[in-house]
Amino acid sequence: MNLSMPLAFFAGSICIAGVMMLARQRVLQVLLFVAYFSLLGALLVHEYSYLDVVEAEYLKADPLAVLFLGVLAIIGALAAYYGMAYARHRGDSARQVATHNAALVLFLTMVVGVYISRHIGLVWAFLEASTLTSAILIYYNRNKHSVEATWKYVFVCSIGIAIAFAGILFLSIASEAREVHDLSFEAIRMTAPSMNVGWLKFAFLFMVAGYSVKMGVAPLFNVDIDAKDGAPSHVSALLSSVLMIAGFVAIFRIYMALAGTSILPWMNAVMIIVGLMSVFFAAIYISKIKNVKRIFAYSSLEHAGIVLIAVGSGAWFAAVLHIVLHAFAKSSLFFQYAHFYRLYQTKSVNSVGDYIKLHPAGAGVLILGLLAITAVPPMGTFITELFMFKALFSGPHAWVAIPVFLLLTVILWGLAKNVLNILYRPAPSIVHAPAPFSTMETVPQYALLLAVVYMGFFAPPAFVQFVRSAVTIHP
Amino acid sequence: MVTILIILFVVTLVYVSMVDRLATFVTLLGIQGVLLFGIAYMELRDVDALNLSFILAETLVFKGIVIPWFLQRTLRRNKLVKEAEPTVTHFTSLLFVTAIILVSFLLAYTVHEEHLRIGYFTASLSALFTGLFIIMARTKIITHVMGYLLLENGIFLLSLAVGNEMPLAVNTAILLDLLTSVLLLAFLVDKVGESFQTVDASELNELND
């Protein structure tokens, strides 16, 4: 196979997106999606067989990238499927749908770029491009909510990403002083131990603060919540999964590149503080708000925080596995939310109920999804959180485990109370004529949740080995 | 000569803190673009032609002409003339920006990295923080976009000060992103104006907990 496969992928994706804008018939859109995801599958196979090979100078897929590419392919394809269902159900115009589909293809492509870049500037550029393309996705409904969400999201992301760029420049100040002109992650890893510690700390702090908006953690998490609230639910699923992972990749790669330096304990403390703040805000809001979509969004904030705490406590394996499991669980819930909204026409927990009678198949997804995001066995998230606590207790920040545990209990209570209300409370208002839900539509949601169980408890050794190699520092 | 341009750049920052008319603000951004062009040109005469023409396009064409023109158009379309009720008075703004410049200078002086010149570093940090200050102190979202552009200019200067050239491919990607984001933001200002009948950031509160 040719080594410039990634370039072919980027070129092919842009062509597909372009054709999508022109060929607006539904059949053609579906065919183009099939073409796109076949291309993505080919890229995945290619990168798996050429692990750690540098391509086109600035691209390289390590096991981490390949793992996340797999997640992106699955959730991306499902989002495309649910997006088409969403548009068909609402009877949106062909033009609106075509624009959305093209943006979806470009968005996924830009995120792929984030995963496989080995140059710190290129990661930045792809991440910013993902903001711009996701803006079109969030803007889809063209109403007040979506305009506000899009404006806030694009603006704060731009500020955040500018701050991150300042971080990159601080890093290059440190590397220039050592006469190093290469800002690939490998070069940074090699030379960082001899760089000025002050600049490295500045650089890391600015990058974490800036990229926090993309990963959806403190301090800049507010606009993420608004974006997930204002966007169509399949887009919220993408923001909570592949985009959160993209932000994580940007932070984790620089963390790994600097992990060989003397600032590692300091970086760990930063990760834990950021993670703790995120879990804290999530707990506060989840226990008081009534908007189902925002509740799910705050739960994403909580899990992103847990991932960073795991990174900071040294449980890198748990961090990576947790973000994957969360991506599956949360996107399943957001996909199900489309049914919820179609049935009740409201986001508020207060005016709904009896979901278990009105839509039993969907209620099953809600129950399993609740177990997954509250880390109850047999869900795999239980295992990863267990690993995180274990690492916390054996590390220098053992005290953090206590507030985290208390906050998780608050979140468990808040989530369970709301979901149980949706399921069992008698519906107070007259329910809109329940559209006949196709059970087929819930099958992928169950599959995602079963994957959460499978990957946590029954993961084949080869998979575990692969994830381990994703968090090993390569020479 | 470069020093003069940098000083002029800092002067525009002081001026920005006092302007009332939004159109003047945009003109100042255009002037900053031209000044950055001058600085980059003097600084980078010995880099290869491709990179040089690239940076010149970024400063003179985009920062100096395209973006100001686009912003003026947005102002006209939304009938925006002045920053209506600045929450912070001009005098306080002036004090703040002066303080920012002073602190940036002291910071640059203390850092004292040998290959990092103090003038550049001061000007870039000042622009960065002035941008953030404008975003926090003003209420109109179009002014927020302008604050963002100030911040961008600061970062551009910082990258000149650092002197580490990104590979051309990366530079192209960065430039494309920046340009698109500004155009997108200006487009969204229009849309917010249509949907909300106002462009005050405080009125954007449809989404809340």
Side-chain angles (χ1 to χ4, degrees):
Chain A
M1 215 183 282
N2 193 330
L3 277 187
S4 60
M5 175 69 196
L7 291 184
F9 168 75
F10 287 122
S13 309
I14 291 170
C15 291
I16 290 177
V19 178
M20 267 181 160
M21 294 287 289
L22 301 173
R24 292 176 187 160
Q25 289 90 335
R26 201 181 135 74
V27 186
L28 290 177
Q29 296 278 314
V30 173
L31 283 178
L32 286 166
F33 265 136
V34 171
Y36 176 71
F37 286 106
S38 314
L39 195 57
L40 187 58
L43 178 75
L44 184 59
V45 172
H46 168 83
E47 297 296 8
Y48 185 73
S49 34
Y50 286 90
L51 271 184
D52 287 323
V53 176
V54 175
E55 294 164 299
E57 213 175 327
Y58 305 113
L59 304 171
K60 186 182 89 172
D62 53 2
L64 190 72
V66 172
L67 176 71
F68 290 156
L69 269 184
V71 176
L72 176 133
I74 296 170
I75 297 178
L78 288 176
Y81 164 69
Y82 284 114
M84 292 299 272
Y86 178 81
R88 191 186 54 207
H89 176 77
R90 292 159 34 105
D92 292 327
S93 74
R95 178 158 173 240
Q96 192 180 358
V97 176
T99 314
H100 168 271
N101 290 348
L104 181 64
V105 164
L106 288 179
F107 167 76
L108 292 175
T109 307
M110 294 306 128
V111 175
V112 169
V114 176
Y115 295 172
I116 63 175
S117 295
R118 62 187 274 271
H119 190 282
I120 195 166
L122 205 56
V123 168
W124 183 93
F126 275 122
L127 212 47
E128 171 71 2
S130 78
T131 305
L132 301 175
T133 43
S134 64
I136 306 171
L137 299 176
I138 300 168
Y139 186 59
Y140 184 76
N141 280 322
R142 291 166 169 70
N143 57 23
K144 265 187 158 184
H145 280 184
S146 58
V147 172
E148 181 183 340
T150 314
W151 159 261
K152 285 183 175 169
Y153 189 70
V154 174
F155 186 70
V156 177
C157 275
S158 302
I159 301 286
I161 211 115
I163 292 173
F165 196 74
I168 295 179
L169 290 176
F170 291 146
L171 189 69
S172 50
I173 292 176
S175 73
E176 280 289 294
R178 297 260 75 81
E179 303 289 320
V180 179
H181 306 290
D182 180 6
L183 283 183
S184 66
F185 290 109
E186 293 93 338
I188 296 169
R189 190 174 303 137
M190 300 285 278
T191 46
S194 64
M195 289 184 199
N196 179 314
V197 172
W199 283 120
L200 287 185
K201 284 186 179 176
F202 257 125
F204 184 70
L205 212 53
F206 271 64
M207 279 188 245
V208 170
Y211 290 144
S212 72
V213 64
K214 302 299 294 187
M215 186 175 171
V217 285
L220 296 178
F221 64 87
N222 271 318
V223 290
D224 287 279
I225 309 285
D226 288 344
K228 284 164 197 159
D229 187 7
S233 53
H234 61 279
V235 175
S236 314
L238 286 175
L239 297 181
S240 279
S241 53
V242 298
L243 194 62
M244 184 201 278
I245 292 178
F248 172 74
V249 165
I251 293 176
F252 192 60
R253 288 220 191 274
I254 187 66
Y255 172 88
M256 291 294 257
L258 301 182
T261 67
S262 58
I263 68 165
L264 180 63
W266 178 85
M267 288 198 297
N268 283 339
V270 171
M271 293 279 95
I272 287 180
I273 291 169
V274 172
L276 190 59
M277 271 164 57
S278 309
V279 177
F280 173 76
F281 284 119
I284 300 255
Y285 282 106
I286 283 180
S287 51
K288 75 167 205 206
I289 56 176
K290 292 293 166 203
N291 175 334
V292 180
K293 226 173 175 184
R294 291 181 87 86
I295 290 174
F296 289 162
Y298 277 111
S299 153
S300 295
L301 171 65
E302 173 219 336
H303 285 279
I306 287 177
V307 168
L308 289 191
I309 294 176
V311 170
S313 56
W316 300 343
F317 173 82
V320 169
L321 189 57
H322 190 83
I323 205 167
V324 170
L325 297 180
H326 168 262
F328 283 164
K330 189 55 59 65
S331 37
S332 167
L333 280 172
F334 271 122
F335 291 147
Q336 178 54 40
Y337 173 83
H339 282 182
F340 170 93
Y341 190 79
R342 223 191 287 173
L343 185 63
Y344 297 117
Q345 299 290 318
T346 174
K347 293 176 179 175
S348 167
V349 178
N350 286 335
S351 36
V352 303
D354 262 345
Y355 202 54
I356 196 133
K357 282 189 202 137
L358 296 167
H359 185 23
V365 174
L366 276 193
I367 293 171
L368 291 178
L370 173 69
L371 295 182
I373 60 172
T374 51
V376 174
M379 290 298 169
T381 41
F382 172 75
I383 298 278
T384 49
E385 288 193 14
L386 193 69
F387 282 173
M388 175 200 74
F389 276 114
K390 211 177 128 202
L392 259 186
F393 276 122
S394 54
H397 305 287
W399 63 271
V400 176
I402 299 163
V404 172
F405 198 77
L406 290 176
L407 291 170
L408 290 189
T409 317
V410 174
I411 292 172
L412 168 69
W413 174 76
L415 284 172
K417 183 186 67 174
N418 285 315
V419 172
L420 293 179
N421 273 342
I422 296 171
L423 292 172
Y424 298 111
R425 191 176 51 191
S429 64
I430 301 157
V431 173
H432 295 253
F437 293 110
S438 128
T439 325
M440 261 305 287
E441 279 189 24
T442 55
V443 171
Q445 299 163 12
Y446 279 107
L448 286 175
L449 290 166
L450 285 180
V452 177
V453 178
Y454 178 74
M455 288 199 291
F457 281 84
F458 310 101
F463 175 75
V464 175
Q465 194 48 45
F466 192 73
V467 178
R468 280 206 190 288
S469 68
V471 294
T472 315
I473 298 179
H474 299 278
Chain B
M1 185 63 191
V2 175
T3 321
I4 296 175
L5 292 179
I6 290 183
I7 291 174
L8 281 177
F9 182 85
V10 175
V11 170
T12 58
L13 290 180
V14 179
Y15 197 21
V16 155
S17 70
M18 298 188 295
V19 291
D20 204 19
R21 289 173 53 82
L22 293 170
T24 320
F25 199 145
V26 176
T27 313
L28 281 170
L29 283 173
I31 293 174
Q32 284 197 350
V34 177
L35 287 174
L36 288 177
F37 162 75
I39 297 170
Y41 181 72
M42 308 245 171
E43 196 53 35
L44 300 170
R45 254 181 296 195
D46 47 341
V47 274
D48 62 295
L50 195 61
N51 246 323
L52 184 65
S53 53
F54 185 81
I55 290 173
L56 300 188
E58 176 173 4
T59 48
L60 196 62
V61 179
F62 291 124
K63 288 186 190 290
I65 301 168
V66 176
I67 291 173
W69 174 79
F70 204 78
L71 286 177
Q72 298 283 16
R73 189 166 148 265
T74 312
L75 289 182
R76 275 199 307 276
R77 287 173 57 144
N78 289 283
K79 299 190 179 58
L80 297 170
V81 184
K82 287 183 176 179
E83 178 64 35
E85 298 144 0
T87 41
V88 183
T89 62
H90 291 315
F91 182 68
T92 330
S93 296
L94 182 62
L95 279 186
F96 258 105
V97 171
T98 317
I100 284 172
I101 294 170
L102 211 65
V103 170
S104 305
F105 179 73
L106 289 177
L107 209 66
Y109 200 76
T110 350
V111 169
H112 198 69
E113 192 83 31
E114 52 202 272
H115 59 277
L116 195 68
R117 271 155 307 167
I118 292 178
Y120 275 87
F121 203 53
T122 309
S124 63
L125 284 185
S126 308
L128 219 154
F129 289 120
T130 308
L132 284 176
F133 169 73
I134 295 278
I135 292 169
M136 285 186 284
R138 304 293 168 86
T139 53
K140 287 216 181 342
I141 56 176
I142 185 79
T143 325
H144 290 184
V145 178
M146 297 182 199
Y148 167 67
L149 287 169
L150 279 182
L151 195 151
E152 280 298 341
N153 284 349
I155 287 180
F156 180 81
L157 258 187
L158 188 62
S159 70
L160 275 187
V162 172
N164 189 335
E165 294 160 46
M166 294 267 181
L168 191 65
V170 178
N171 253 335
T172 318
I174 291 173
L175 176 59
L176 270 180
D177 280 350
L178 290 184
L179 185 68
T180 330
S181 68
V182 175
L183 301 189
L184 184 65
L185 285 171
F187 167 79
L188 284 170
V189 170
D190 276 355
K191 290 295 155 193
V192 169
E194 278 170 26
S195 308
F196 287 80
Q197 306 301 329
T198 168
V199 286
D200 269 350
S202 53
E203 298 291 321
L204 288 179
N205 51 14
E206 285 282 313
L207 295 165
N208 48 33
D209 297 300

